[in-house]
Amino acid sequence: MRQYPMHSHLFSYTFKLLLVISCISIISACGSSRPYTQQPVKTFDPDNKNIPRPAETEEHFQWETLYLSTFYQLEKTLDLGSIFQAVGHAMGINGMDEADNVNVLDEVPNSSWYTRRHYFKPMSLNELKRGPISGAGPDTTQPITVIRGKSEGVTPGFTVQDARGNTYIIKLDRKESPELMSSSEVIVTNIYHAAGYSVPENSISYFDPDQLVIAEDATVTKGGDEKPMTKADLQEILDKAQIREDGKVRVLASKYVNGRPLGPWNFKGTRKDDPNDRIPHEDRREVRGLRVLGSWVNDTDRRHGNTMAVYVGKGDKGYIEHYLLDMGSTLGTVGVSLRHTKRGQEYRYDPRYMGVLYGTLGLYVKPWARPEAKDRPFYPSVGYFESKLFSPANWVTSYPNPAFEKVTPRDGLWGAKMVMAFSDEEIRALVELGKITNPEAKEYLVQTLIERRDKIGNYWFSKVNPLDKFKAMLAGNNLIVSFADLGVEGGLFEAANTSYRYKLGDPDQWISKELLSRKSSIAIDLASTDLEKLEGEEVIRIQLHTLRNGKPYPDKKTDVYIEMKDDRARVVGIKREG
Amino acid sequence: MEFLSFNHHRVLRLLLWLGIAMVTQAGAVVHASHIHEETFITTTTNTNPFFKVADPDTIPGKAHPDSIPYRADRTLARTLLKAPAAVVHLAIQPLKWGINWNEEKQVISRISDFLLNEEKTAGFYPSFSIGGRTAFAAGFTYFNRDLFNGGHSFDFNTFYTNTQNYRLDINYKVPPAPRRRYQIDISGNLRKNNDQDIFLGGNSGPEDLEVDYQIESYNLKTEVGYLIRPNLLAKVTNGVIHTRVHNVAEQTETGEPLSNFVDPETYGFCTTNLLSSGLGVTLDHRKGLSENDNTNLISRVTTSYDFKQTKVRVYSGALYDAGISYSRSLNNTDFEYLTYYGDWQQFFSVPGLPLDRRLAFRARLQKRYPLGGASVPFYEQSILGDADNLRGYEQDRFRDLGSLLFTLEYRYPIWDTWDAVLFTDQGQVFSNYDQITFNRFHGSVGTGLRFMTASDFLFRVEIAFSKEEIRSLLKFTMNF
């Protein structure tokens, strides 16, 4: 009898195991998908059910950075499901690993993570400038009580309580970079707010240091230890800040959020003690799409330590809301200091570039390491923020972010349309919030944001057909379908050079030839359309390609599903080719 | 074996296709879930087959989609396919706990506080060496850059392998800064090695013509320097060396008597006290990228304390070092000789590339002259085969009265404070200059990485290849 080595048995078992796995998978995945709804379209994800208050968590910066930079990268290569999916996608067999919390219109419903704002209902300039501020900001007309100090670390500051009883974290600009941190923090806070994220109420404030009164039980952290705070400690912190000619100090005041902070939320996985948390965070569209917004404002420090889960409610009846914190390492600053040219271009420890440099014997020179990378106007209040080297495709945070690594073209389109929603005028208004005193610096920042915005639009709108905001209506015998070409709306392409090729059918078959529209709307004469072929279906399907100068660009299709029922038409599904 | 190979490929192919099949089988799954006592039915329309993603939009029924939460439950298939990653994830948990514990308790910071003074100008740090005279040695360094509050510098290093193999170094400098006019440098070391090899036969000696010996050595050296110009240093040196060589093998590794090759007494297999005095001059025109002075645009990598005062990333200029010394025995052994040396280091940046892509060239000549019929002990002869020269050969592989060494290195950064290096060493030893010929050069090539802070060299790891050896090194000093 032939004896087979142990290996052959192992392979045999592996084969059987795989067979079982695939059978389970196939059985559990049988059926057909339907990219439209005949129900109301979902606009809200009810993840605000009452839950017992979860435990507080802590940030573990050292482990997170090490893990995400090394072991997590290894784990990804060992996740066979992801590998199969990637191989299948490369072979054109299946799609990408798309976000899980999008509705049939490829949109993110409101939730504890996200609120639809500027893109969906344009905010006025005043609303944009007001941002998350709900009251009047810190009361600087009365004595301000210092309750805690932090004289060390990247951003020295203290915590105060104003006469209204509101608590604020106070951060100070450094003397050598006046206005830098505070302006960045406020501008980006309001951008994120307008885009739909939950952010703290951050504002720039001025007060006289003599207004500060140290609370009896105030403490200060020095050398990792907490000690009673003295006037000397407060002075040590204030000495690092710039005092204006009128004797006042400019500060960034960040109001405590309502609710009980539970520590950071992660960019990967779910929170086990939160039953409302059902979608892995790296598979949430708004978390993935944050990469695109982050690339715009160079938010390279967007890591889990700069997020916060807040328990909103009373007693054990509440739920978790998800905040973004610390926008002070954006635009041209890192903390309170100036940004390195490589931030946003490569990870802080980037084996990719180490390998390239080693392999090319140093003949490859990273563009941001060239002397000319620094050859641009420099303003201390703006720092290093540029648009020439900026690449929306290659932008990265300081350390790998699991959600950002999973961004697909559809996620990118979503993020890009949030970015492109800000007009030049609105960007200018938001930059005004930074109260940058040098007009040249302010204008440089505005122009850089505009240029980066347009780069983002150009890049992501070349990956997915950028048609959105579809509307359908019946007018007599005509079905009118209108939409927004985000490329044209954003001024990236000329409307005169753009046309739209489309065809009509039901979800399963086409009933028209390819037609052309020169406008971002389609009028379909239902009487002359061979609708009987649809055999009673209430849903029709329109497939669109966008043509720039007569050629498809991008060569990606968008399928729109429209329900016609009771003399009404409505859009019930959008399927984008990514 | 063929059968195994066939099966292996088949399984891999099947695995790939089954995996892809699983990925493509994205369809609707209807299942009931209970969340917060709320029953609902979900269907999936998502293309992710590994999560049962409830898309409430497409649910037939009366419940409004806004009342039904999204959920993504991992399927069994997905969980199984993630097993290899999960194993790795599990395996690294102890590391995670350790790092988090350190972060919470500030362990490294506390150790640093314990080992260093508040100003970080003095303290201890651990040190170790791989690939030197012993395969591995570890110890500690005490440094003080502000001794007596007067800017004096003191270093004490230990490297310990076992009771028979160790080394102690001591160094005292006044002042520590290199740009002061008067400089005094006092250094001493003690070393003991019980398993050293001496290769006989000079430049052409075969690899197996070696004998074992044990050595104890005490060395004290003073150097008084005077800066004639900011980059020109003249120095006077004096030193005493006590050396005891013992337990010398009577036969070589090849079984031949040692006396066939050398006279043990005149060769240095005895106890000797040597006195040396010399003069030297160093001209330093090197330009280094040790500081990023454009603080507007570049953030510095900070260093907690000063390891060594070394110029890092030298991109142009040269260093010339030359000297002569006289040495003679203080006891009854017959050693008396002159030594002179010249060292030329030249640095170039590569045209068309940034300054930090640079070539470093070194030429070094050393020669001893026995005086009055006396001789030079073998441990004072010129040696090639070390972490700093002819790196692809065994330690002390070639020795004779003179040595000539050429080194060419291409150094380039691969990260802010990491340099890669490609190098070649070419060298030969000789008794007199007539012996120097092109054909007698021994060569080694290699590559490595150098780790620095913004202003200081930390350590290097290198691998070097020669016709005889492949040698890996970890050193806390630059070769040049």
Side-chain angles (χ1 to χ4, degrees):
Chain A
M1 186 177 161
R2 186 172 181 176
Q3 295 290 310
Y4 293 120
M6 278 287 286
H7 296 79
S8 61
H9 292 295
L10 187 65
F11 287 133
S12 172
Y13 288 134
T14 307
F15 175 76
K16 285 173 184 169
L17 182 65
L18 282 166
L19 201 63
V20 170
I21 293 171
S22 51
C23 286
I24 293 168
S25 178
I26 289 164
I27 290 165
S28 66
C30 62
S32 60
S33 63
R34 201 177 62 175
Y36 60 90
T37 182
Q38 289 188 282
Q39 294 279 97
V41 174
K42 185 174 176 64
T43 58
F44 175 67
D45 188 23
D47 62 351
N48 58 351
K49 301 281 169 60
N50 285 338
I51 60 165
R53 193 177 75 209
E56 291 180 22
T57 59
E58 288 183 7
E59 180 199 6
H60 291 113
F61 176 74
Q62 292 173 359
W63 170 251
E64 283 295 321
T65 51
L66 174 68
Y67 172 68
L68 294 174
S69 301
T70 55
F71 299 114
Y72 177 63
Q73 303 304 321
L74 174 65
E75 286 176 23
K76 283 196 303 183
T77 64
L78 296 173
D79 183 350
L80 300 180
S82 297
I83 299 295
F84 289 146
Q85 181 143 21
V87 172
H89 175 67
M91 296 169 72
I93 297 170
N94 57 271
M96 299 181 84
D97 188 3
E98 295 292 352
D100 288 332
N101 66 325
V102 289
N103 64 17
V104 285
L105 302 186
D106 208 23
E107 285 297 349
V108 183
N110 287 339
S111 68
S112 66
W113 295 77
Y114 175 75
T115 306
R116 296 182 182 191
R117 294 197 181 104
H118 187 46
Y119 176 78
F120 300 93
K121 188 182 174 192
M123 297 162 72
S124 68
L125 291 184
N126 279 339
E127 286 173 323
L128 285 170
K129 289 170 85 167
R130 185 163 188 81
I133 306 287
S134 57
D139 181 357
T140 55
T141 62
Q142 313 257 351
I144 300 166
T145 308
V146 180
I147 57 177
R148 198 172 302 120
K150 180 171 170 275
S151 65
E152 296 165 336
V154 180
T155 49
F158 41 84
T159 307
V160 300
Q161 205 164 52
D162 70 359
R164 298 190 196 105
N166 291 323
T167 308
Y168 294 87
I169 294 170
I170 300 294
K171 292 196 271 187
L172 306 163
D173 289 309
R174 285 274 170 94
K175 277 180 185 169
E176 57 272 24
S177 315
E179 304 171 351
L180 178 65
M181 178 276 299
S182 54
S183 60
S184 302
E185 181 111 29
V186 169
I187 293 167
V188 176
T189 295
N190 283 39
I191 286 175
Y192 281 169
H193 175 263
Y197 297 91
S198 299
V199 290
E201 297 183 24
N202 291 336
S203 58
I204 292 169
S205 195
Y206 303 88
F207 58 74
D208 191 327
D210 291 340
Q211 286 177 265
L212 296 172
V213 179
I214 300 173
E216 281 184 11
D217 56 350
T219 57
V220 64
T221 309
K222 288 183 106 176
D225 298 324
E226 207 166 76
K227 301 168 182 170
M229 191 174 186
T230 64
K231 278 190 174 178
D233 295 324
L234 179 60
Q235 194 57 48
E236 186 185 339
I237 297 168
L238 288 169
D239 283 347
K240 292 171 184 165
Q242 188 187 31
I243 308 294
R244 300 197 316 173
E245 286 180 0
D246 61 3
K248 290 188 173 178
V249 60
R250 169 180 159 134
V251 302
L252 185 281
S254 183
K255 190 180 175 187
Y256 269 28
V257 298
N258 291 325
R260 187 182 177 103
L262 299 176
W265 52 263
N266 213 316
F267 281 87
K268 178 174 170 289
T270 56
R271 192 176 172 126
K272 303 297 176 227
D273 55 3
D274 179 7
N276 287 325
D277 194 9
R278 301 178 179 94
I279 302 289
H281 303 170
E282 71 273 25
D283 291 328
R284 301 192 71 96
R285 165 69 58 82
E286 70 276 27
V287 179
R288 290 185 183 185
L290 181 59
R291 176 188 181 272
V292 182
L293 279 139
S295 72
W296 183 34
V297 297
N298 214 12
D299 186 4
T300 54
D301 207 23
R302 191 47 52 200
R303 55 190 167 84
H304 96 297
N306 288 330
T307 64
M308 185 179 281
V310 178
Y311 186 73
V312 184
K314 288 182 179 175
D316 266 359
K317 290 189 175 177
Y319 66 97
I320 291 179
E321 283 194 347
H322 302 86
Y323 278 77
L324 300 179
L325 293 187
D326 203 348
M327 276 58 83
S329 291
T330 55
L331 305 180
T333 180
V334 175
V336 289
S337 53
L338 300 164
R339 188 177 282 278
H340 194 293
T341 56
K342 78 176 207 175
R343 291 286 188 119
Q345 305 284 3
E346 59 180 304
Y347 294 124
R348 191 166 171 78
Y349 309 97
D350 203 323
R352 300 172 305 170
Y353 286 104
M354 290 179 191
V356 167
L357 282 166
Y358 187 83
T360 60
L361 306 181
L363 298 178
Y364 171 72
V365 183
K366 294 179 282 193
W368 50 95
R370 294 178 189 273
E372 53 267 32
K374 302 161 204 159
D375 186 20
R376 56 178 44 85
F378 174 74
Y379 306 100
S381 51
V382 174
Y384 185 79
F385 186 56
E386 66 83 49
S387 58
K388 303 288 181 295
L389 296 174
F390 167 60
S391 162
N394 299 321
W395 181 88
V396 290
T397 46
S398 294
Y399 303 97
N401 180 312
F404 292 3
E405 286 183 322
K406 290 190 78 174
V407 168
T408 65
R410 280 170 56 192
D411 300 325
L413 173 74
W414 184 88
K417 73 187 187 186
M418 296 295 143
V419 172
M420 293 298 294
F422 293 92
S423 67
D424 293 2
E425 186 189 11
E426 288 161 351
I427 289 171
R428 194 161 270 111
L430 287 163
V431 170
E432 286 289 338
L433 284 172
K435 297 179 180 173
I436 296 169
T437 47
N438 181 346
E440 283 181 26
K442 196 161 56 179
E443 188 54 29
Y444 173 83
L445 183 54
V446 169
Q447 287 308 318
T448 307
L449 278 166
I450 289 171
E451 287 163 17
R452 287 174 75 105
R453 177 201 63 190
D454 292 348
K455 270 194 163 183
I456 286 169
N458 272 313
Y459 176 74
W460 290 107
F461 293 173
S462 73
K463 300 290 168 191
V464 182
N465 194 0
L467 306 184
D468 202 28
K469 299 181 179 174
F470 285 91
K471 287 178 184 165
M473 61 177 288
L474 286 171
N477 271 338
N478 286 330
L479 168 65
I480 312 292
V481 178
S482 65
F483 52 89
D485 181 340
L486 301 179
V488 171
E489 273 194 356
L492 305 176
F493 303 101
E494 295 285 336
N497 299 332
T498 303
S499 55
Y500 309 95
R501 195 174 66 201
Y502 67 96
K503 56 185 176 179
L504 184 69
D506 70 7
D508 302 318
Q509 61 180 325
W510 300 114
I511 60 167
S512 79
K513 293 177 182 174
E514 290 196 326
L515 303 163
L516 203 65
S517 171
R518 298 213 167 269
K519 295 188 294 182
S520 57
S521 66
I522 298 167
I524 299 164
D525 182 359
L526 298 174
S528 63
T529 305
D530 203 3
L531 277 174
E532 65 271 16
K533 285 186 182 172
L534 299 180
E535 294 173 357
E537 277 281 346
E538 295 169 329
V539 176
I540 66 167
R541 174 186 177 197
I542 302 171
Q543 187 172 87
L544 293 115
H545 276 91
T546 299
L547 310 181
R548 314 279 186 203
N549 296 314
K551 291 181 181 173
Y553 184 83
D555 192 5
K556 303 281 183 182
K557 57 182 181 282
T558 301
D559 287 343
V560 184
Y561 295 85
I562 295 163
E563 181 190 62
M564 290 185 295
K565 196 174 178 184
D566 303 332
D567 296 331
R568 291 181 59 202
R570 66 176 184 123
V571 179
V572 291
I574 296 173
K575 190 177 176 187
R576 294 190 167 97
E577 183 184 6
Chain B
M1 217 41 198
E2 258 180 38
F3 172 81
L4 271 180
S5 174
F6 174 69
N7 240 0
H8 188 194
H9 285 293
R10 270 187 66 184
V11 168
L12 277 178
R13 261 206 313 271
L14 279 166
L15 189 148
L16 183 66
W17 280 109
L18 285 171
I20 293 169
M22 288 153 62
V23 169
T24 55
Q25 291 298 318
V29 175
V30 180
H31 64 97
S33 297
H34 296 267
I35 298 176
H36 296 292
E37 300 169 355
E38 177 188 275
T39 304
F40 58 86
I41 296 176
T42 60
T43 61
T44 64
T45 58
N46 197 288
T47 54
N48 188 340
F50 301 120
F51 288 96
K52 294 176 216 163
V53 181
D55 190 344
D57 274 345
T58 59
I59 300 164
K62 289 180 181 173
H64 193 285
D66 285 354
S67 68
I68 303 168
Y70 285 118
R71 60 179 298 159
D73 298 329
R74 195 178 297 281
T75 62
L76 178 62
R78 182 69 179 88
T79 305
L80 289 172
L81 288 172
K82 203 172 180 176
V87 169
V88 171
H89 193 77
L90 205 62
I92 60 173
Q93 291 310 297
L95 181 64
K96 174 185 175 179
W97 299 328
I99 289 175
N100 289 348
W101 178 72
N102 166 61
E103 192 172 354
E104 282 169 19
K105 305 291 181 190
Q106 298 283 304
V107 179
I108 290 178
S109 174
R110 284 170 198 271
I111 290 173
S112 173
D113 288 346
F114 175 74
L115 295 176
L116 305 176
N117 66 358
E118 203 168 322
E119 296 80 24
K120 314 282 190 208
T121 56
F124 295 86
Y125 61 86
S127 51
F128 62 94
S129 164
I130 296 173
R133 212 162 270 283
T134 53
F136 177 79
F140 69 89
T141 293
Y142 171 77
F143 74 95
N144 193 325
R145 296 282 171 266
D146 196 22
L147 197 65
F148 310 129
N149 294 321
H152 296 203
S153 169
F154 177 77
D155 287 89
F156 178 70
N157 305 299
T158 65
F159 289 96
Y160 182 85
T161 303
N162 54 40
T163 55
Q164 299 303 310
N165 291 279
Y166 54 83
R167 178 188 172 107
L168 304 175
D169 296 316
I170 193 164
N171 181 261
Y172 177 73
K173 276 185 191 172
V174 184
R179 294 295 181 196
R180 301 283 177 82
R181 175 139 286 192
Y182 292 97
Q183 301 175 11
I184 299 172
D185 190 329
I186 302 171
S187 59
N189 75 52
L190 177 162
R191 82 175 172 99
K192 185 174 181 180
N193 295 109
N194 76 335
D195 186 20
Q196 296 294 285
D197 297 323
I198 178 169
F199 292 88
L200 304 170
N203 195 65
S204 53
E207 199 179 352
D208 52 359
L209 189 59
E210 57 175 323
V211 290
D212 298 338
Y213 68 97
Q214 296 181 8
I215 186 168
E216 291 167 37
S217 174
Y218 307 88
N219 178 350
L220 181 67
K221 183 181 169 189
T222 62
E223 181 181 296
V224 178
Y226 176 76
L227 269 182
I228 301 167
R229 286 176 19 200
N231 55 3
L232 182 62
L233 177 73
K235 56 204 174 187
V236 177
T237 59
N238 283 287
V240 288
I241 310 169
H242 168 83
T243 309
R244 177 172 170 251
V245 177
H246 55 105
N247 289 346
V248 182
E250 292 179 357
Q251 291 185 331
T252 66
E253 294 283 307
T254 55
E256 297 169 87
L258 175 64
S259 54
N260 285 2
F261 300 95
V262 294
D263 173 6
E265 282 294 315
T266 60
Y267 203 62
F269 294 145
C270 54
T271 299
T272 309
N273 296 319
L274 284 170
L275 175 70
S276 296
S277 297
L279 297 169
V281 63
T282 304
L283 181 60
D284 187 353
H285 276 302
R286 294 175 300 168
K287 290 179 183 170
L289 294 166
S290 58
E291 297 285 340
N292 289 314
D293 50 9
N294 187 354
T295 54
N296 282 342
L297 299 174
I298 304 289
S299 65
R300 285 189 54 177
V301 178
T302 55
T303 172
S304 57
Y305 50 90
D306 178 14
F307 281 82
K308 293 167 200 76
Q309 294 170 0
T310 318
K311 278 190 177 178
V312 295
R313 287 184 173 159
V314 176
Y315 67 92
S316 74
L319 182 140
Y320 307 94
D321 190 15
I324 185 166
S325 66
Y326 165 77
S327 305
R328 75 179 185 85
S329 169
L330 292 177
N331 57 0
N332 55 1
T333 50
D334 191 15
F335 299 120
E336 187 175 11
Y337 53 93
L338 275 177
T339 302
Y340 66 80
Y341 68 90
D343 195 346
W344 169 35
Q345 299 170 19
Q346 186 72 49
F347 302 88
F348 316 87
S349 55
V350 178
L353 291 174
L355 291 177
D356 50 15
R357 274 74 163 171
R358 59 225 188 264
L359 290 166
F361 171 74
R362 180 187 206 184
R364 194 194 72 182
L365 174 72
Q366 288 183 333
K367 184 75 172 75
R368 265 103 179 156
Y369 276 106
L371 297 174
S375 57
V376 180
F378 74 93
Y379 44 82
E380 283 290 290
Q381 291 182 353
S382 288
I383 297 169
L384 293 179
D386 186 49
D388 295 342
N389 59 66
L390 219 51
R391 282 162 276 189
Y393 285 90
E394 279 190 74
Q395 184 70 35
D396 303 345
R397 175 65 181 87
F398 305 104
R399 75 174 73 210
D400 211 326
L401 293 176
S403 68
L404 179 62
L405 172 77
F406 296 105
T407 294
L408 181 65
E409 295 193 349
Y410 173 51
R411 301 168 179 172
Y412 58 99
I414 61 167
W415 193 59
D416 296 2
T417 54
W418 296 6
D419 273 358
V421 60
L422 301 175
F423 61 82
T424 178
D425 301 316
Q426 301 290 329
Q428 61 179 291
V429 295
F430 54 89
S431 293
N432 55 64
Y433 289 113
D434 295 343
Q435 292 177 335
I436 299 174
T437 63
F438 186 78
N439 294 336
R440 295 180 83 240
F441 275 106
H442 300 285
S444 73
V445 295
T447 182
L449 294 174
R450 293 171 183 215
F451 301 89
M452 293 156 275
T453 66
S455 57
D456 299 304
F457 175 80
L458 287 177
F459 66 95
R460 60 187 158 113
V461 287
E462 289 170 350
I463 183 163
F465 305 86
S466 71
K467 283 188 285 189
E468 295 182 2
E469 283 279 319
I470 298 174
R471 186 174 179 182
S472 53
L473 299 161
L474 186 153
K475 297 298 274 185
F476 286 83
T477 51
M478 292 269 273
N479 53 335
F480 72 100

